[in-house]
Amino acid sequence: MEMISEMLSYPFLVRALVGGLMVSLCASLLGVSLVLKRYSMIGDGLSHVSFGALSIALALGWSPLKVSIPVVVLAAFFLLRITENGQVKSDAAIAMISASALAIGIIVTSMTTGMTTDVSSYMFGSILAMSREDVIFSVILSAVVLAMYGLCYHKIFAVTFDESFAKATGVRVSAYNVVIAVLTAVTIVLGMRMMGAMLISSLIIFPALTSMRVFKSFRSVTISSAALSLICFLIGMVASYQLSTPAGASVVVVNLLAFLLFGAWQSLGKLRS
């Protein structure tokens, strides 16, 4: 408890904890649907788009957050459209957009500011990067995501597992897919401030995959994923503070350990049965 009190005495750590917890919660909830729909790598792709947008914003002296959010939202919408039309498969579309955006970001960076501390923090994350504005955005975002899951749970369930059935029952599948894509895009932009473009997709993938090792129902996986994400983030932040390791990498390693632990639990259950 003494260490927790010490951590909370630093304003930048308080911002990191609050913002990180909110982003982790959003990423884990959205991640369940994304993983089941085989869009799990969308986080990686959109984070690279965000890096490209941030590089251009920094080069022009604009607000990184205000530039990257609309750009990443448009990229998510475009990605959704081309995969829905069947013109390009989802994994190929993500790889194409990801590589292109990252290449543009690197070229812009090399021609202007170079690989400065600011750019490196967006690539690999920085615990100092979370601003008051980021925290406010993350709280609003988490409220929206929680409200969506609370009010539209059954429709999200239908869209996730069987889009054809959902359409037949009158659910506006395209609208729900767009909303999920937009919320995912905003989550990635906010989360990569701490986790970095290279690690942010772990917040989407790990909690869902870990929960699926033990739980089978959509509701159980969703609840477990949210709880696990929050716990892993807190443990990762404490470990980062105690061991002086990068915050984003520490959170990912804790998520990896949780995945292995749940896998061992699953294997033990199979042996007993």
Side-chain angles (χ1 to χ4, degrees):
M1 287 301 294
E2 184 179 344
M3 184 176 61
I4 299 295
S5 300
E6 186 180 335
M7 288 177 66
L8 295 177
S9 66
Y10 298 101
F12 73 91
L13 273 177
V14 174
R15 289 196 300 270
L17 283 169
V18 174
L21 284 171
M22 296 298 99
V23 169
S24 297
L25 178 62
C26 295
S28 61
L29 290 174
L30 295 167
V32 175
S33 289
L34 291 173
V35 169
L36 289 171
K37 288 166 70 67
R38 299 189 178 181
Y39 276 109
S40 55
M41 287 309 294
I42 194 173
D44 199 41
L46 293 180
S47 66
H48 290 168
V49 173
S50 184
F51 172 72
L54 289 166
S55 299
I56 294 172
L58 289 173
L60 298 175
W62 295 343
S63 170
L65 200 62
K66 292 176 182 177
V67 171
S68 56
I69 286 180
V71 170
V72 178
V73 166
L74 285 173
F77 183 77
F78 173 71
L79 184 62
L80 194 65
R81 283 299 175 203
I82 61 175
T83 53
E84 277 184 351
N85 293 336
Q87 297 173 346
V88 184
K89 291 196 176 291
S90 59
D91 56 345
I94 291 170
M96 177 182 67
I97 292 176
S98 173
S100 301
L102 189 60
I104 291 170
I106 291 172
I107 289 173
V108 171
T109 299
S110 65
M111 293 176 64
T112 54
T113 60
M115 290 304 290
T116 63
T117 304
D118 286 339
V119 175
S120 296
S121 72
Y122 287 119
M123 285 290 287
F124 306 108
S126 171
I127 198 171
L128 301 173
M130 292 295 286
S131 65
R132 186 172 178 274
E133 185 183 28
D134 294 334
V135 175
I136 293 172
F137 268 115
S138 64
V139 171
I140 295 171
L141 176 66
S142 63
V144 172
V145 172
L146 286 171
M148 183 184 74
Y149 267 80
L151 298 173
C152 309
Y153 171 80
H154 295 291
K155 293 179 180 178
I156 293 172
F157 174 83
V159 170
T160 299
F161 283 98
D162 193 338
E163 291 190 0
S164 298
F165 174 77
K167 285 180 181 177
T169 56
V171 178
R172 298 175 63 186
V173 172
S174 296
Y176 277 93
N177 282 334
V178 168
V179 169
I180 290 173
V182 168
L183 292 175
T184 301
V186 178
T187 300
I188 287 165
V189 172
L190 293 174
M192 68 176 286
R193 305 273 280 182
M194 177 181 293
M195 300 295 295
M198 298 300 173
L199 300 174
I200 183 59
S201 60
S202 64
L203 292 184
I204 292 174
I205 298 170
F206 265 118
L209 287 180
T210 302
S211 298
M212 288 175 193
R213 303 296 296 270
V214 176
F215 301 101
K216 301 305 176 187
S217 73
F218 184 72
R219 186 184 298 274
S220 297
V221 169
T222 301
I223 294 172
S224 170
S225 180
L228 194 64
S229 180
L230 296 176
I231 292 169
C232 287
F233 181 82
L234 283 174
I235 295 174
M237 288 296 293
V238 172
S240 172
Y241 180 79
Q242 183 122 12
L243 303 174
S244 299
T245 53
S250 300
V251 172
V252 174
V253 169
V254 173
N255 272 285
L256 173 61
L257 293 175
F259 177 78
L260 296 175
L261 182 62
F262 272 54
W265 186 3
Q266 182 190 38
S267 300
L268 187 61
K270 287 181 178 178
L271 288 174
R272 285 179 177 176
S273 60

